[in-house]
Amino acid sequence: MILLGWNPDRGDDPFGGYRSAGDEVTGAGFFRCRWPLPPRQATAGTEVWLFSQGGRDRGVLGHGRVASPPDPQPAGRGGAPGIVEFDALRPRGDSIPLDLLTLRVPGIAWEVNRPSRRIPAAAGPALRTLWAETSTPEEADPLLPPPGALPPGALAQTRANRYERDPSARRVCLAHHGTSCAVCGFSFEEAFGPPGRDFVHVHHLVPAARLGTDYELDPIADLVPLCPNCHSMAHRRLPDPYSPAELRALRSAAGFLPGTALSPEQLTAQADAVRILGAR
Ligand SMILES: [Zn+2]
Ligand SMILES: [Zn+2]
């Protein structure tokens, strides 16, 4: 793990405007920029935490990963530039404050007077818990994993989520497709009553790799309602998620465990189900 030191009061601006970088994280799911990194410790996927050294705001302000490590050239003071991909940047003034860090994640010299420094990976779990506890409700989206919980290969998943979380696109999608899962047919409203209304996830069908810069979302053709179980299964395949048709095929192929024998009652029940529901 690497701690990135940033002193906004000194006029350092690796972000090209911190606020717009934060907007990019909200919209696109990530923000990339160059950052001097310790060459030997920074490998692709290494977790980074942003520490703000500002006078009135000292603490952990952001999270990300090393997207590409620095060239193994002789490093200058503070390291050679690599590329860092942030997946969370809190508004300035909203950091995990220094005193709380010292109390809850002890044994680490938090102040960083250089652009980057290695910190022990053992501090990760406590830091992540503290980050989740101090998150605002919008940040603590129960549909999204906490920062650092996903393996680096799963980053493609968070990139498609901007379309899955767009409220107006979601409305159009659900108005057209309904609120039952397009794979298994589960309805939260049927199962849980009013609190379940509209809880279903919306899944973006277009793989992240095929999104050009001129891509425009079609909420009816490109989005589909999925229950959280089927949605998680869809994203189990990377980088291209399983399509709803593939998931339906997987489900019907897995209808019984190979090697198990069905009882006559189970066979009758299956035949009844096919007759009553029709082959869908
Ligand atoms: Zn489902
Ligand atoms: Zn999805």
Side-chain angles (χ1 to χ4, degrees):
M1 253 175 12
I2 292 171
L3 198 61
L4 307 178
W6 177 46
N7 190 336
D9 297 347
R10 263 204 322 239
D12 300 347
D13 185 11
F15 300 98
Y18 183 76
R19 192 194 289 253
S20 68
D23 289 345
E24 251 185 78
V25 172
T26 312
F30 69 101
F31 173 80
R32 284 181 171 211
C33 63
R34 290 168 73 79
W35 206 288
L37 296 169
R40 258 172 306 155
Q41 286 110 14
T43 53
T46 302
E47 207 171 350
V48 301
W49 293 89
L50 176 68
F51 187 91
S52 161
Q53 286 275 60
R56 50 180 185 83
D57 177 29
R58 278 197 295 182
V60 167
L61 198 55
H63 174 271
R65 287 187 184 275
V66 173
S68 59
D71 286 337
Q73 300 291 324
R77 200 183 105 82
I83 293 172
V84 162
E85 180 170 301
F86 290 99
D87 54 23
L89 288 174
R90 289 188 179 175
R92 283 192 61 192
D94 207 15
S95 60
I96 307 176
L98 189 56
D99 49 353
L100 200 55
L101 286 166
T102 317
L103 185 74
R104 297 277 303 274
V105 197
I108 291 182
W110 285 104
E111 310 257 3
V112 257
N113 281 311
R114 47 187 162 149
S116 57
R117 175 160 55 75
R118 195 191 74 86
I119 54 169
L127 194 49
R128 244 171 260 146
T129 307
L130 197 52
W131 178 274
E133 280 176 15
T134 55
S135 293
T136 58
E138 312 81 277
E139 271 183 323
D141 184 341
L143 309 188
L144 292 175
L150 280 179
L155 282 176
Q157 172 178 349
T158 42
R159 279 174 206 172
N161 277 347
R162 103 199 233 201
Y163 300 105
E164 296 182 348
R165 287 181 309 178
D166 177 339
S168 60
R170 178 189 159 83
R171 241 189 335 266
V172 175
C173 165
L174 295 185
H176 181 83
H177 294 286
T179 55
S180 297
C181 175
V183 170
C184 71
F186 186 84
S187 157
F188 278 94
E189 195 174 1
E190 242 168 60
F192 297 98
R197 185 174 302 154
D198 291 352
F199 181 71
V200 73
H201 286 191
V202 159
H203 172 59
H204 187 234
L205 294 164
V206 188
R210 276 202 265 127
L211 301 178
T213 44
D214 55 349
Y215 170 75
E216 258 188 64
L217 177 75
D218 176 343
I220 291 176
D222 298 353
L223 297 177
V224 75
L226 290 186
C227 76
N229 280 347
C230 295
H231 195 192
S232 310
M233 279 309 298
H235 284 289
R236 274 217 73 173
R237 189 173 70 187
L238 292 167
D240 290 1
Y242 289 114
S243 71
E246 284 176 304
L247 290 171
R248 276 184 232 118
L250 288 174
R251 269 174 62 85
S252 51
F256 64 95
L257 293 174
T260 58
L262 294 181
S263 68
E265 291 78 15
Q266 285 173 314
L267 286 171
T268 319
Q270 262 193 0
D272 285 346
V274 171
R275 187 171 45 78
I276 295 165
L277 300 172
R280 278 203 278 175

